[in-house]
């Protein structure tokens, strides 16, 4: 079975699973894990948008 | 004249977190079966989430025609790719047995797939180390 994800959807899926693992492994309590997981996810996705805008501006 | 030694000075300092059998077994199980170390330590919710995350990343990587690295002694990046891939434990060995990921597709999706496969292994290494810390008592 093969499938193709766009660059953006691949980045979001990557961010989701990496954030889950980071949240669980880097914090102790459940609430802290959820907060840290969301923080990592926001940084990942925010980084994608930032890098996208930087590349778009460089291309102009 | 030699001073009499006290118990405090002769006895080696006891480690704060003594190494137990479970602290050795949990990370090995966690490496072989993603999340297995946490499940062994009765952290069922965390273990299942880790299992789902690592397995999903591995399967997505394979689905995107990512390449599985074989043991090699060549280019440093190929060696590091192998180290990352082997972090997935049983998934890596299953993929090698079934000859999955033996592709040389040169497109962007395959490159993302290769990254997914490597990162799945690296995240599993982190999860195995976490299981070790929980077993030692460093983490709850």
């Amino acid at each position: 079975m093969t499938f193709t994800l766009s660059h953006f959807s691949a980045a979001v899926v990557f961010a989701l699973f990496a954030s889950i693992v980071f949240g669980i492994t880097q914090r102790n309590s459940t609430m802290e894990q959820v907060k840290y997981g969301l923080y990592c996810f926001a940084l990942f996705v925010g980084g994608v948008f930032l890098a996208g805008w930087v590349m778009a501006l460089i291309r102009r | 004249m030699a001073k009499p030694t006290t118990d405090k000075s002769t006895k080696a300092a006891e480690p704060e977190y003594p190494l137990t059998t479970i602290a050795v077994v949990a990370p090995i199980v966690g490496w072989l079966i993603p999340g297995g170390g946490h499940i062994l330590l009765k952290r069922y919710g965390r273990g299942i989430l880790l299992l789902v995350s690592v397995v999903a990343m591995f399967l997505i990587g394979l689905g995107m025609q990512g390449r599985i690295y074989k043991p090699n002694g060549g280019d440093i990046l190929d060696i590091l790719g192998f180290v990352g891939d082997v972090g997935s434990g049983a998934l890596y060995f299953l993929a090698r047995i079934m000859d999955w990921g033996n592709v040389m597709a040169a497109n962007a999706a395959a490159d993302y797939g290769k990254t997914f496969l490597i990162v799945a292994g690296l995240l599993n290494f982190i999860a195995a180390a976490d299981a070790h810390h929980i077993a030692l008592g460093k983490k709850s």
Side-chain angles (χ1 to χ4, degrees):
Chain A
M1 185 189 77
T2 61
F3 58 87
T4 306
L5 292 177
S6 70
H7 193 134
F8 180 72
S9 49
V12 172
V13 170
F14 181 98
L16 175 71
F17 292 126
S19 301
I20 290 171
V21 177
F22 284 168
I24 290 171
T25 56
Q26 303 301 311
R27 291 293 182 272
N28 272 317
S29 73
T30 307
M31 204 57 214
E32 283 177 340
Q33 289 173 354
V34 171
K35 279 182 186 171
Y36 190 68
L38 288 171
Y39 173 71
C40 287
F41 184 74
L43 282 186
F44 271 125
V45 177
V48 167
F49 276 104
L50 184 68
W53 273 108
V54 168
M55 285 187 278
L57 291 171
I58 289 171
R59 193 167 170 250
R60 280 186 188 180
Chain B
M1 191 177 146
K3 286 180 185 174
T5 54
T6 61
D7 276 356
K8 204 175 181 180
S9 61
T10 53
K11 205 189 285 181
E14 284 186 17
E16 195 179 354
Y17 302 105
L19 193 64
T20 56
T21 309
I22 194 76
V24 176
V25 172
I28 294 170
V29 172
W31 168 63
L32 281 172
I33 304 159
H38 287 74
I39 292 169
L40 190 70
L41 296 166
K42 296 184 171 56
R43 267 68 171 184
Y44 300 111
R46 295 185 204 180
I48 289 166
L49 273 173
L50 290 170
L51 175 72
V52 168
S53 299
V54 174
V55 171
M57 283 194 84
F58 194 86
L59 293 180
I60 289 168
L62 284 179
M64 291 170 83
Q65 292 189 290
R67 173 186 165 207
I68 296 258
Y69 284 91
K70 295 180 176 72
N72 63 83
D75 184 38
I76 186 75
L77 289 178
D78 286 346
I79 297 169
L80 291 174
F82 166 70
V83 171
D85 279 355
V86 86
S88 298
L91 290 171
Y92 174 79
F93 298 115
L94 181 68
R96 287 294 310 280
I97 290 165
M98 303 299 285
D99 205 27
W100 295 335
N102 192 10
V103 287
M104 290 301 274
N107 56 47
D111 211 30
Y112 302 156
K114 185 179 73 181
T115 307
F116 268 78
L117 289 168
I118 292 171
V119 174
L122 295 176
L123 290 174
N124 196 38
F125 275 138
I126 297 174
D130 188 54
H132 176 67
H133 287 151
I134 293 171
L136 280 179
K138 281 185 182 176
K139 193 184 169 202
S140 58

